[in-house]
Amino acid sequence: MISKEKKAALEKEREERIAEAEIENLTGARHVESEKLAQILAARQLEIKQIPSDGHCMYRAVEDQLKEKNCALTVVALRSQTAEYMQSHVDDFLPFLTNPNTGDMYTPEEFQKYCYDIVNTAAWGGQLELRALSHILQTPIEIIQADSPPIIVGEEYSQKPLILVYMRHAYGLGEHYNSVTRLVNIATENCS
């Protein structure tokens, strides 16, 4: 049986851990990044639209942005088209993929597996997949980040860009993409 003193000490220790976690939440990288992004987006009359962190976040964020343009491409279709485009433009993508174990450029077989994984798994998407999607959609894709200027992939296209938010510290696993939506001004909305 645990003594009253021991129980009180355990409870005090638990409360101290909770307090430390709350301080970390207010000063930690995730909070700082979120605050910076909120300011960057507010200046553009935008706010983050949360996308689930399920390995499909980049594709879901693109899908969400496309809905705003009345384009109903699904995550499945986006993944499939991305892999097809990359496979038909091997020379544009292969030099940027390296085997994490050896540091060597992917072999054609490793590249095929990479493309297979795009279609058939929840493999995370990144810069290469965004480049492919920009060409497929013939639309620029702007990626807003907290600590560096926005990146625009597909600047050669003249359409209004899709806008994604890239977060380095969003979740325990690290990187994450969200979509954006127009910031709604409640004060003016109530007057109209």
Side-chain angles (χ1 to χ4, degrees):
M1 190 178 242
I2 298 176
S3 70
K4 276 188 175 183
E5 293 82 20
K6 179 77 170 167
K7 195 173 185 178
L10 288 171
E11 182 61 25
K12 184 174 187 235
E13 184 181 319
R14 181 181 158 279
E15 288 174 7
E16 286 171 1
R17 282 197 317 269
I18 290 170
E20 287 171 12
E22 287 176 2
I23 289 168
E24 171 62 25
N25 285 341
L26 294 176
T27 61
R30 181 184 316 172
H31 179 76
V32 170
E33 180 179 51
S34 292
E35 290 295 310
K36 284 182 183 178
L37 284 167
Q39 290 174 359
I40 291 166
L41 293 171
R44 294 177 60 175
Q45 298 296 303
L46 298 170
E47 64 183 342
I48 287 178
K49 184 172 184 184
Q50 294 294 334
I51 299 294
S53 61
D54 59 1
H56 301 287
C57 63
M58 187 200 75
Y59 298 97
R60 289 193 195 287
V62 170
E63 175 187 49
D64 181 72
Q65 287 288 295
L66 289 171
K67 284 179 187 170
E68 296 295 317
K69 294 184 172 208
N70 294 316
C71 177
L73 284 173
T74 64
V75 168
V76 171
L78 291 169
R79 281 184 167 277
S80 177
Q81 289 181 29
T82 298
E84 286 173 26
Y85 185 88
M86 290 175 75
Q87 287 170 321
S88 65
H89 296 84
V90 175
D91 293 340
D92 294 340
F93 297 98
L94 185 59
F96 299 100
L97 292 166
T98 56
N99 183 312
N101 299 323
T102 65
D104 295 334
M105 191 169 83
Y106 268 17
T107 65
E109 295 77 26
E110 288 171 318
F111 183 73
Q112 289 306 314
K113 178 167 182 346
Y114 185 89
C115 292
Y116 174 88
D117 288 348
I118 290 172
V119 176
N120 297 294
T121 72
W124 295 0
Q127 188 80 11
L128 296 178
E129 291 80 8
L130 286 169
R131 163 95 22 227
L133 284 165
S134 174
H135 290 309
I136 292 161
L137 301 167
Q138 298 192 339
T139 303
I141 301 173
E142 181 178 4
I143 302 97
I144 297 174
Q145 306 171 78
D147 292 321
S148 58
I151 295 169
I152 299 178
V153 177
E155 287 183 90
E156 63 268 35
Y157 300 111
S158 60
Q159 290 190 41
K160 185 178 167 195
L162 306 179
I163 302 173
L164 309 184
V165 174
Y166 175 72
M167 302 178 78
R168 280 184 175 73
H169 308 288
Y171 296 99
L173 294 173
E175 296 97 3
H176 179 68
Y177 287 92
N178 279 312
S179 185
V180 298
T181 188
R182 286 259 151 242
L183 190 59
V184 178
N185 186 333
I186 294 165
T188 57
E189 198 169 80
N190 289 338
C191 298
S192 23

